Amino acid sequence: MDITAQRRYLLINPNTNALTTQRLQDVLLPLLPQGVQLDVRTARFGAKYIACEASHAVAAHACLDAWVSQQSAVSGSLNGVLIGCFGDPGLFALREVSGCPVTGLAEASFIQAASYGPFAIVTGGERWKPMLHRLAGSLGYGAQLRHIETVAPNGAALQADPDMAIRCLTQACQQAAQSGVAAIILGGAGLAGYARLLQPHVPLPLIDSALAGLEIMLKQASPPAPHTQDGFFAQWQGMPEAFKAIPTRDTG
């Protein structure tokens, strides 16, 4: 990736687990092209691990809060935002209010996986299955997503026990490979870097959701256009002062 001008991006971990943030940093920061700066923020409230509809909904608010906090702390425009969760909480809201491209680990993975053909997902936590089906449909990838294989341990448990994670995920990927798909997404911020460890044991291309997120964010991003700006379409009450510092766009 040949990027010569200094560019700044924002990576948001929408759960409160600092270990997940560290995992993303350990995997992604060494891959940054020259001239690229990646600001990283962890949600200041919400769940330690997003595992259900309620925690996903709160995480969307936490993503907005992290974006607002970054905007108030750092001057200048962003070139792109990446939501560091395989579920993309707050994706549509951040895309609406931000003057730069926004993507998430799931959407980025869908983009890459669909280039092979129909795809499957392997991830941790059984409650994610209907949530991911809904997200894929809303992003236009419902037809390509043919199978979701969830493992019993959630992302936090997998992250805490790497040996168990490799055994468990290898078996799940091998199962998913029998579903007639062309590629498999290994989804989860805490699983960043695992795909390369599992790939020798899986007969189909494995997509690391964190690497996909970085690649798609850099590919989609561009210098902010003169006519675009950050801004909300609503007046706030009872929110942190930083929300009020973001301009409200004139809706006419």
Side-chain angles (χ1 to χ4, degrees):
M1 300 173 186
D2 183 19
I3 300 178
T4 56
Q6 180 68 36
R7 295 176 177 229
R8 188 171 73 248
Y9 302 85
L10 174 62
L11 169 63
I12 302 172
N13 172 18
N15 67 47
T16 60
N17 189 345
L19 291 177
T20 301
T21 306
Q22 190 61 53
R23 180 75 185 182
L24 287 168
Q25 289 180 294
D26 290 345
V27 172
L28 298 183
L29 291 184
L31 302 177
L32 292 179
Q34 185 177 2
V36 169
Q37 177 180 331
L38 185 65
D39 297 339
V40 182
R41 286 189 173 267
T42 305
R44 67 181 181 87
F45 60 85
K48 194 170 184 179
Y49 175 72
I50 302 166
C52 60
E53 295 281 8
S55 54
H56 187 270
V58 172
H61 179 187
C63 269
L64 282 171
D65 178 80
W67 175 79
V68 165
S69 297
Q70 194 274 349
Q71 295 296 82
S72 65
V74 180
S75 61
S77 300
L78 289 168
N79 293 97
V81 178
L82 176 62
I83 301 169
C85 168
F86 193 73
D88 303 357
L91 174 66
F92 301 109
L94 279 171
R95 188 167 283 164
E96 178 185 72
V97 304
S98 179
C100 66
V102 179
T103 191
L105 301 193
E107 181 190 47
S109 299
F110 296 164
I111 292 170
Q112 290 195 346
S115 69
Y116 293 95
F119 59 88
I121 293 171
V122 170
T123 193
E126 61 181 355
R127 291 183 180 272
W128 273 110
K129 194 169 186 177
M131 296 164 65
L132 290 171
H133 272 299
R134 184 182 66 226
L135 179 62
S138 67
L139 292 170
Y141 294 95
Q144 291 98 322
L145 174 55
R146 301 289 177 82
H147 181 78
I148 299 178
E149 191 81 20
T150 59
V151 297
N154 62 27
L158 292 169
Q159 185 177 348
D161 190 340
D163 291 335
M164 178 273 289
I166 290 174
R167 292 193 304 271
C168 185
L169 293 169
T170 297
Q171 183 178 10
C173 288
Q174 290 171 345
Q175 285 288 113
Q178 300 175 29
S179 62
V181 297
I184 301 169
I185 297 169
L186 189 62
L191 301 181
Y194 274 78
R196 66 178 179 81
L197 301 176
L198 304 183
Q199 185 64 81
H201 309 288
V202 181
L204 297 176
L206 278 183
I207 293 170
D208 185 313
S209 64
L211 297 185
L214 177 65
E215 291 167 7
I216 296 299
M217 178 185 69
L218 294 176
K219 183 178 180 180
Q220 291 182 341
S222 59
H227 65 279
T228 60
Q229 62 178 357
D230 302 323
F232 290 112
F233 290 88
Q235 299 288 344
W236 300 111
Q237 183 174 357
M239 299 287 278
E241 286 299 314
F243 274 76
K244 299 177 184 178
I246 302 294
T248 301
R249 296 180 185 177
D250 183 5
T251 60

